[in-house]
Amino acid sequence: MKLTRLQLYGFRNYAALDLPIHPGVNLIVGENAQGKTNLLEAVSYLSTGRSFRTMRQVELIGFGADFADLSCRLFSQGREQSIRAVLFASHRPKQLFIGGVKQKTAAELPGVLTTVLFCPDDLSVLKGGAAPRRKLLDNALCQLRPGYAQALAEYNKLLDSKTRILKDYHEMPSLLDPLPEFNYRLAQVGAILIWHRARYLNSLIKAAADYHHEFSGGREALTASYQTVSTIRDPFAEQKEIFSCLLDHQQSHYKAELESGQCLTGPHKDDFDAKLDGISIKAFGSQGQTRTAAISLKLAERELLRRDTGEEPVLLLDDVLSELDARRQDFVLNQISSGQVFITCCEPERVTNIGQTVTIRGGQLCT
């Protein structure tokens, strides 16, 4: 899987960009706030149909522009392909194209362009709340399993509807009438999410443990366990059993949800606890340990995608090396000897001479 060309129009601070892509390492160099991360964001958007930095489409469109147009050419699945996204400043929905054919949803994108992104926010993913850890699992699974992406989208819509019911039923009690149907379907779709997440996490941690063992010089063992609602004692059980357990948990929390006006049960609250030598990273991990573990998880994600798809995902590294000492920088660079990689940095002489170096200034290429 290799990108060959990236074209941007009206995206963030890029009025227009036409960039040939090297099949190996693409080093994106520039001072702060020049557009380096924006370039990686564009590649990631063409891979997933969403931004890793904002939920607001209008923020992706350049100042004064009515729309943004992102497109790329690539070799994937044994043939030349193209992806295009058109984003509008108005309330019009985005338009996605694969090979010039308009797609109904972003669910058609996985497998065409697969990426693994590491950005500075990922360095704290193991230290913050549960949401970033769920997002780490969900992002990978959406690329691996198109059916998972559809289930996740349906679950989020159902959750939004149920939340509105719980907030507004005091003024309109009839809103509670469809609540049992929402709960039933939430449990069905939620069982799919938990089943896939638990299995993916198990594979991810096994692969990440090997990276972390080498990364830490063999001094630490990385493990993790999936955490879900209390009625599910085995997240590796069959989906029908997980579904039944979710229904039981919903029933036990029914009154509490009505009183609080919040949806208190379901995989939208799930988490995983990563540990080093049996000690929680979130509670007790040092800054260095947390960074090392987070990088190991991303390298493991890339490996699992390669195993599953048979193709090397495009690796996007946003300012990650500046957070590491020389020994850890060398370790990361040793992992990018194959496949296509984008690296952003401010000091190119400290990174690599492999591939091509692209200098960005004010959203423009500098030659």
Side-chain angles (χ1 to χ4, degrees), residues 7 16-17 69 82 105 128 151 175 191 199 217 244 279 294 330 333 356:
Q7 295 177 307
L17 174 77
D69 195 325
S82 66
T105 69
L175 289 174
R199 281 160 176 76
S244 179
I279 301 174
D330 289 341
L333 291 173
Q356 74 169 350

Side-chain angles (χ1 to χ4, degrees), residues 41-56:
E41 183 182 24
V43 175
S44 177
Y45 194 97
L46 291 169
S47 172
T48 63
R50 61 183 180 276
S51 167
F52 63 86
R53 301 164 73 191
T54 180
M55 297 292 292
R56 289 169 48 82

